[in-house]
Amino acid sequence: MKYKISLFLLFVFVLNSCQDENEKRRAENEKEAKKKEVIFNNINKGWVFIDEPINEISEQKISSWPQWRDFLKEIDQKPRKTIGAFQKKSAAIAKKAMALNENIPAEFNLPQIKSRISVLITKVKMMDLFIHLDKIPDEKVTFLIGEINKELVSLERQMDNIVVKSKIPKEQGEEDFLRMLDTTRAIPNAITDPNLKKIE
């Protein structure tokens, strides 16, 4: 009889602890779902890119620079419904950003443009990295979206500057003067270069 009572008490104890475990698990799942919902809402609110060119020059380049057009089109489309959709969109934006290094128009194939593109790519890749983490740091993702917008503005303003400077007429002899300033084309100095023969 004692054996049956102890077995019954053990059974009640196990059943009770299982119910406690289920309740704990359910509470943790609800807590996790609320966290994910907050993260989704924060990212959804902060997912605002400057998808329109800020000046005429940038707008003109959309037609002649397909990678630039594709990148702007990609950031224009905002994902909906799930964090997974934002993760896919982020990966697509990163891929389009990487393509910006290809076929840069000749007038913009300059160090100041390339450096801005590199910074833009870095920030897009960082955003893509953070949004794919298990615990998504939504503040960092939204901060990086703002940083990407700043880089876009900086890149478009630099394009504008290059076009404006190219329209300024050069003075007579300015080309020769600029060539003389180019140290890579300078005549080597016999004093500083011991390999050169002395002219007597």
Side-chain angles (χ1 to χ4, degrees), residues 19-121:
Q19 286 177 343
D20 287 347
E21 278 295 317
N22 286 340
E23 285 177 27
K24 281 181 186 176
R25 198 173 298 128
R26 194 177 306 119
E28 284 176 15
N29 287 344
E30 284 176 17
K31 202 175 185 181
E32 193 64 32
K34 283 180 183 177
K35 272 185 189 175
K36 285 182 179 178
E37 188 179 341
V38 167
I39 289 171
F40 171 79
N41 288 334
N42 289 342
I43 291 175
N44 190 32
K45 227 185 293 179
W47 195 275
V48 179
F49 287 102
I50 298 173
D51 57 348
E52 291 295 318
I54 63 164
N55 53 37
E56 288 179 34
I57 283 84
S58 180
E59 200 162 340
Q60 290 167 0
K61 288 300 135 199
I62 288 177
S63 58
S64 63
W65 189 6
Q67 288 79 7
W68 181 247
R69 181 184 59 237
D70 293 344
F71 178 74
L72 290 180
K73 190 191 286 184
E74 195 66 52
I75 63 174
D76 178 39
Q77 301 161 351
K78 185 176 179 179
R80 304 267 182 245
K81 296 181 184 172
T82 64
I83 271 294
F86 281 103
Q87 290 170 332
K88 283 180 186 173
K89 178 54 76 175
S90 177
I93 289 172
K95 187 177 178 184
K96 298 291 182 185
M98 290 294 293
L100 288 175
N101 277 325
E102 301 166 14
N103 301 325
I104 299 172
E107 64 194 305
F108 297 134
N109 201 359
L110 301 167
Q112 55 267 43
I113 294 290
K114 287 181 175 181
S115 66
R116 281 171 175 77
I117 289 172
S118 294
V119 172
L120 177 66
I121 289 170

Side-chain angles (χ1 to χ4, degrees), residues 1-11:
M1 184 73 178
K2 285 182 182 181
Y3 176 71
K4 287 182 180 179
I5 292 173
S6 2
L7 192 60
F8 177 74
L9 290 174
L10 181 66
F11 178 72

Side-chain angles (χ1 to χ4, degrees), residues 132-177:
H132 280 91
L133 293 175
D134 290 335
K135 292 183 180 178
I136 300 169
D138 50 326
E139 302 89 17
K140 286 186 180 181
V141 172
T142 53
F143 172 76
L144 283 166
I145 290 169
E147 291 294 302
I148 290 166
N149 283 331
K150 287 179 190 172
E151 294 307 324
L152 282 169
V153 169
S154 173
L155 178 60
E156 290 180 355
R157 284 193 178 140
Q158 187 62 48
M159 285 194 263
D160 200 27
N161 274 348
I162 289 168
V163 171
V164 168
K165 284 181 181 177
S166 71
K167 290 179 180 177
I168 298 171
K170 294 196 184 245
E171 291 183 23
Q172 186 178 7
E174 188 175 352
E175 287 284 334
D176 295 333
F177 179 72

